[in-house]
Amino acid sequence: MMTDILLERRGRVGVITLNKPHKLNAWDRPMRDTIVQALRDFDADEAIGAVVMTGAGDRAFSAGQDFAEAHAFDEDRAEAWIREWETFYGLLRRLTKPVVMALNGTAAGSAFQVALLGDIRVGHPEITMGQPEINSGIASITGPWIMKEILGMSRTVELTLTGRMMPAEECHRIGIVHHLVPRGEVMNKALEIAAELAAKAPLAMRLDRAWFADMTEAGFRHTIDAAIRSHRVSYGSGEPARKMEAFMADRGHTLGS
C-alpha cells in the first residue's frame, strides 16, 4: 500500500522519505503530521543517533505546501496552519539528535525552510532551492526569519521579493549546501555523515542543538505571532487563492474545480 512517508533504519540512522513524487512531494496536514510523529519516534529511540530526511523521485525533495490544501484556507484555517508549522519547526529546532537533509531535487518554499532547519545538507548539481511564495500570492514570514538567521538580511530580502530559485552552485557557494556530490551519491553521502554524527557523544550533541535553539528562541516566537497576523490578513483577502489558481493554470492544472 502506497504511503506518503516511508520510514527505515540504517544502523543507528533513521531515514524519513517523503513519498509523493507525483506531486513533487508537496505536503498537506496529514503528511506533515506523519513526519512530526516519525521525528518524535526517532528522537525517543535510544538505538537511533541521527536522522536523514529525503524525497522520493528525482525531481523534488519537496515543492513545499500542497496548493490543493492551501487554496481553500480562510483566516481561521490560516492561523491553525501556522500553529501546525510552529509544531513542525519547533520540533526540528528542539530535536536532541542531528538531522541531515539529503536533497534529491528542488526544495521550495516551506520545504526550503525545513531543509535549512536541518543541520547538514547534501545535494547534487541539478538541485534548486528558494522561497517562491510571492509568485503564488503567499506572504513569507517564517521563511525570511529562517533565511535571515542563516543567510543574512540582504540575500533574504532579495530571495523573498523576487521568488527566484537558487541553482546548486550558488547554494553551495553561500554555504547552505555543505556537500555537493553527483546525483547518485547524495543518499550515501548523507548516510555517511549521519552515521558519523550518530557516533558522537550524545549528551554533547543534545546540549549543542539545544543551545542553537535557545539562541534564536525569542525570534522564533515573535515570527510565529507575526505569521499568524499576516496570514490572517492575506488569506482573508482572497489573494492567495487567486494567485494559486493562476500559477497552476499557467502549468496546465486547475484548482478549486
Side-chain angles (χ1 to χ4, degrees):
M1 181 177 178
M2 183 65 73
T3 133
D4 291 342
I5 301 295
L6 302 177
L7 303 177
E8 59 181 315
R9 295 162 182 264
R10 302 280 191 95
R12 297 200 64 230
V13 177
V15 180
I16 299 172
T17 301
L18 314 179
N19 188 40
K20 204 193 285 185
H22 62 289
K23 280 202 166 186
L24 301 181
N25 299 320
W27 37 44
D28 53 17
R29 181 176 182 177
M31 190 172 172
R32 292 191 301 270
D33 286 348
T34 303
I35 297 168
V36 165
Q37 189 58 54
L39 287 168
R40 286 175 173 155
D41 289 346
F42 282 144
D43 205 41
D45 189 338
E46 293 184 1
I48 296 295
V51 176
V52 168
M53 187 179 297
T54 192
D58 58 6
R59 296 178 62 195
F61 170 72
S62 172
Q65 176 63 44
D66 188 339
F67 287 172
E69 175 184 60
H71 175 259
F73 284 179
D74 59 13
E75 297 99 317
D76 290 342
R77 180 65 187 94
E79 178 170 347
W81 178 61
I82 295 301
R83 290 300 183 193
E84 293 159 15
W85 285 114
E86 179 182 20
T87 297
F88 191 176
Y89 290 167
L91 179 60
L92 280 170
R93 286 165 48 76
R94 291 291 175 180
L95 217 66
T96 67
K97 297 165 185 178
V99 181
V100 178
M101 297 295 179
L103 302 172
N104 57 298
T106 291
S110 55
F112 178 44
Q113 298 168 42
V114 165
L116 291 180
L117 288 171
D119 298 300
I120 298 178
R121 288 164 290 280
V122 181
H124 60 75
E126 286 77 50
I127 69 166
T128 58
M129 302 180 78
Q131 189 74 20
E133 271 93 336
I134 197 165
N135 298 329
S136 49
I138 301 174
S140 294
I141 308 297
T142 57
W145 175 74
I146 294 168
M147 286 190 289
K148 180 180 71 67
E149 290 293 335
I150 295 174
L151 300 175
M153 181 60 85
S154 177
R155 193 176 295 269
T156 293
V157 171
E158 187 260 336
L159 289 172
T160 302
L161 298 187
T162 65
R164 75 177 180 90
M165 299 294 289
M166 294 181 288
E169 184 280 329
E170 181 180 357
C171 294
H172 187 238
R173 174 166 45 83
I174 66 177
I176 58 173
V177 171
H178 300 100
H179 301 272
L180 201 59
V181 300
R183 178 187 289 271
E185 297 178 18
V186 169
M187 192 60 181
N188 285 340
K189 183 64 175 177
L191 289 167
E192 174 190 325
I193 294 167
E196 180 182 344
L197 294 174
K200 304 288 186 186
L203 177 58
M205 182 67 73
R206 176 174 65 81
L207 293 173
D208 284 349
R209 286 198 98 258
W211 179 234
F212 297 150
D214 287 345
M215 284 192 289
T216 54
E217 184 66 15
F220 177 58
R221 294 300 162 197
H222 178 67
T223 297
I224 293 299
D225 291 342
I228 288 171
R229 293 193 302 271
S230 293
H231 285 292
R232 287 189 68 91
V233 171
S234 179
Y235 280 95
S237 75
E239 181 178 80
R242 294 191 298 272
K243 292 293 288 184
M244 287 182 211
E245 289 167 8
F247 182 90
M248 295 302 284
D250 286 345
R251 290 153 179 80
H253 303 290
T254 301
L255 282 175
S257 60

